[in-house]
Amino acid sequence: MSTATRIAPPREARLARMAVALVFLTNGALYANVVPRFPQLKAELGLTNAALGSAIAAMPLGALLAGLFAATVIRRFRSARVASIGIVLLAALVFLLAFAPNVWALGAVFFVAGALDAIIDVAQNAHGLRVQRVYGRSILNSLHGLWSVGAVLGGLMGSAAAGLALSLPLHLGISAVVFSLVAIFAFRFMLPGPDGGVTETAGGSGTKRAYSAHAVKILAVLGVLAACGALVEDAGSSWGALYLRNELLTSAAVAGLAFVALQVAMTFGRLTGDRVVDRFGQRAVVRAGGALAAAGMGLALAFPSVTTTLIGFACAGLGTATLVPAAMHSADALPGLPEGVGLTVSSWLLRAGFLLSAPLVGAVADLSSLRVALLTVVVAGVLTVVCARVLPRRD
């Protein structure tokens, strides 16, 4: 019996689950609030697509670098404090985006926000795993589903603020205050005491095993799969609103619905994905999802309209809902690697995918059009179908 099980009565465990769920939800909602306002940020600062994409790419770059220090920070301050107080600091950084005077300042705020978000992400997952051990059954998938619910909520808030023509400082100020209060409230009910071995696991330590050349090759393919998932998700968050606003000439409120459509579909896929994967296996589900994402976005780009675009982004979100978890799970269970290496490398490649996708799409858009640039989603779907062969048929 673990220490957490001895000190946490059932009611305390239920309250802790509610608290960490609120942290996941606020984490998803904060950044999503900004996404529908990208067209306004781009217009106010006079940015090109490539410049905006480069500024956004500073966020995963910061996350990529800070991920190295997450376990050390959590060991020092404990997962509950890092996750909840980190949300308050992240809310302040998101608020500062409204006052960026140029692309360099915008990129700097995105960089620091990404670095902090990477540490928060490890901390909330570490605490979620601790609560899961108290429960004695899986609850982590539902927590990730609530992150997606938060992203949808944030996207709707941002779309509504754009439609009401709220100023960026007012909109992001309200968001920062509301979600900071939620995080502070949640901290009161998270599990007390040290985290035990969670942070060591998050840091990727473990027993030593020899490297297998075959395992390294499989891990590289799994990294490509994770990067494909990152590209598809980033296309909706970074470029969906701009595509609807600038190329299909929609209102600011409607433009934000591209991100919402992707996140709603992805949330549904995450909340129902466990049962589907158990029945059909990771390989079949990921292959079908990749085909759905490619076909849906291909249709949307071939016959551009608001309706087909929203359907296309929804197909992309649903199709890739289980992709990243499948890649990480398979990498973590891959034989022939030291313990923790597979999960660590696949996580880094996922962040690299987020880092490269925004400037890649922005550069292609400046050379041709955003409609052509979004064909990268179709390519990612096709590549997913091809690479899914490395996934197991059944767990």
Side-chain angles (χ1 to χ4, degrees), residues 16 18-27 30 73-74 77-92 116-117 119-128 176-192 195:
M18 175 272 294
V20 74
L22 286 175
V23 171
F24 268 85
L25 186 142
T26 56
N27 183 237
L30 275 174
V73 173
I74 294 169
F77 298 104
R78 300 180 181 177
S79 63
R81 186 178 291 112
V82 173
S84 54
I85 304 305
I87 289 292
V88 177
L89 298 177
L90 183 62
L116 180 59
D117 185 64
I119 296 173
I120 293 171
D121 183 55
V122 176
Q124 66 186 12
N125 277 284
H127 204 78
V177 170
V178 169
F179 292 118
S180 293
L181 291 175
V182 171
I184 293 171
F185 170 79
F187 177 60
R188 297 179 56 201
F189 299 101
M190 297 175 84
L191 293 177
D195 292 299

Side-chain angles (χ1 to χ4, degrees), residues 195-213:
D195 292 299
V198 174
T199 53
E200 285 77 7
T201 301
S205 65
T207 58
K208 294 184 179 180
R209 293 202 300 257
Y211 285 88
S212 160

Side-chain angles (χ1 to χ4, degrees), residues 28 95 112 117 120 139 142 167 179 200 217 227 229 255 259 362 381 388 390:
F95 176 61
V112 179
D117 185 64
I120 293 171
I139 63 168
S142 66
S167 67
F179 292 118
E200 285 77 7
K217 293 178 182 177
F259 174 72
V390 302

Side-chain angles (χ1 to χ4, degrees), residues 295-391:
M297 280 304 296
L299 175 67
L301 297 173
F303 303 99
S305 71
V306 174
T307 301
T308 57
T309 298
L310 295 181
I311 292 174
F313 277 109
C315 289
L318 180 61
T320 57
T322 65
L323 174 54
V324 171
M328 289 187 170
H329 177 269
S330 297
D332 192 45
L334 192 61
L337 293 174
E339 184 179 347
V341 168
L343 182 59
T344 301
V345 172
S346 62
S347 299
W348 267 61
L349 290 173
L350 171 66
R351 297 189 185 279
F354 277 113
L355 174 64
L356 297 175
S357 60
L360 172 64
V361 173
V364 175
D366 283 341
L367 290 173
S368 52
S369 69
L370 192 51
R371 181 183 175 190
V372 172
L374 287 176
L375 284 172
T376 53
V377 176
V378 179
V379 174
V382 173
L383 196 57
T384 297
V385 174
V386 175
C387 294
R389 60 179 298 181
V390 302
L391 296 172

Side-chain angles (χ1 to χ4, degrees), residues 234-271:
D234 184 68
S237 62
S238 299
W239 303 106
L242 286 171
Y243 177 70
L244 282 172
R245 181 76 167 137
N246 295 343
E247 302 215 4
L248 299 185
L249 306 178
T250 65
S251 67
V254 172
L257 295 180
F259 174 72
V260 173
L262 184 140
Q263 284 296 337
V264 167
M266 183 170 284
T267 301
F268 175 79
R270 285 174 173 170
L271 294 177

Side-chain angles (χ1 to χ4, degrees), residues 144-156:
H144 281 269
L146 284 171
W147 185 97
S148 296
V149 171
V152 172
L153 174 63
L156 289 172

